Amino acid sequence: MFADHGLECLESRRLFTGASVSHGVLRVVGNETNHNIITVNNSVDGKNVDVSVSWVTALKVKKNFSASFPKSIGFKKINISGGIRSDTINVSQANGSVGIKTRIESGRGDDTITTGGEADVIYAGKGNDVVNSGGGKDLVYGGLGNDNLSGGTDNDTLWGGNGADTVNGNDGDDKLGGVLGMNTLVGGAGHDTFVVTKLSNNPQNDFNALQDKLVSKEKASDTDAPPA
Ligand SMILES: [Ca+2]
Ligand SMILES: [Ca+2]
């Protein structure tokens, strides 16, 4: 039903809700215009990646897509996209980390994104988002809105972006981007790098000159926004 080659065209991609493997990438696409609950996790035996996408249409019709992809297919990346509404995206660790690089773009809406031990790149986009990137070396962009970003263990890079963001590096040597807006920056344990125009623009912070590094940026646009 979902032809792999159909994902190549942007128009097709927008109409498509579900998951498919193409060119070594497992793509999981939420419904463009409705709230999605997207879950990706290892199968119990760890041999497959199980995907579930649930949404409810404007006419209150409940829909669900689910599929189980054998890792033996050989995909090296998982790309997950949400839609324009609030999405809940969870790379569940219930059966252990999927152990595959994951990239998430949750789109507009107030999204909640939870990931785990794999290396994640997360673009939360417009809206007030909550991101918990778990273990692994993660790169998180809060984008527009007042976001709450939390890196788990390991060395994470977390960019608050526009808005009043709360950025928690937690364990590891983290890089915290508070260039734009009035933010709360908490590095937690480890040697953290605070990237700011001025630290005083981020009045709530745990910067410690004895173990942390301060990097001042004049132009916010250089550093605090995801690459185009
Ligand atoms: Ca969204
Ligand atoms: Ca955001």
Side-chain angles (χ1 to χ4, degrees):
M1 182 175 176
F2 299 106
D4 286 353
H5 62 266
L7 288 172
E8 293 307 301
C9 167
L10 184 62
E11 252 344 275
S12 300
R13 182 194 165 279
R14 281 187 177 155
L15 297 172
F16 173 95
T17 302
S20 178
V21 173
S22 161
H23 297 96
V25 180
L26 169 58
R27 290 176 204 278
V28 180
V29 181
N31 189 266
E32 181 71 18
T33 53
N34 293 290
H35 306 278
N36 296 287
I37 297 174
I38 299 174
T39 306
V40 173
N41 56 266
N42 265 344
S43 60
V44 174
D45 65 7
K47 290 182 177 171
N48 285 26
V49 174
D50 293 343
V51 174
S52 163
V53 182
S54 302
W55 69 103
V56 179
T57 70
L59 296 174
K60 311 284 184 209
V61 178
K62 289 184 180 176
K63 297 210 170 190
N64 178 261
F65 170 93
S66 65
S68 186
F69 296 87
K71 289 181 180 173
S72 58
I73 293 173
F75 44 91
K76 298 280 185 283
K77 274 187 79 181
I78 301 174
N79 286 2
I80 303 171
S81 0
I84 63 170
R85 309 277 178 202
S86 302
D87 301 303
T88 300
I89 299 174
N90 187 10
V91 180
S92 166
Q93 310 291 295
N95 300 318
S97 170
V98 294
I100 296 170
K101 281 185 187 177
T102 301
R103 178 189 166 103
I104 296 171
E105 290 184 61
S106 62
R108 284 190 271 160
D110 299 339
D111 303 307
T112 302
I113 302 165
T114 310
T115 62
E118 65 292 325
D120 304 296
V121 179
I122 298 170
Y123 298 87
K126 199 171 175 178
N128 304 325
D129 306 299
V130 178
V131 180
N132 282 290
S133 66
K137 202 173 167 184
D138 306 310
L139 172 59
V140 179
Y141 294 99
L144 294 171
N146 304 326
D147 303 306
N148 194 325
L149 312 179
S150 221
T153 52
D154 292 311
N155 306 338
D156 306 303
T157 299
L158 308 161
W159 295 105
N162 285 86
D165 306 301
T166 300
V167 180
N168 279 291
N170 293 312
D171 288 355
D173 301 337
D174 306 303
K175 187 189 270 191
L176 312 177
V179 178
L180 299 168
M182 298 270 283
N183 311 291
T184 297
L185 302 181
V186 181
H191 300 278
D192 304 304
T193 302
F194 289 65
V195 186
V196 297
T197 339
K198 284 184 197 155
L199 192 60
S200 57
N201 289 352
N202 302 274
Q204 307 260 40
N205 66 75
D206 72 344
F207 177 75
N208 175 350
L210 294 175
Q211 63 177 38
D212 299 322
K213 188 176 160 191
L214 195 62
V215 175
S216 293
K217 289 287 175 189
E218 291 300 318
K219 276 177 69 185
S221 56
D222 288 343
T223 60
D224 210 9

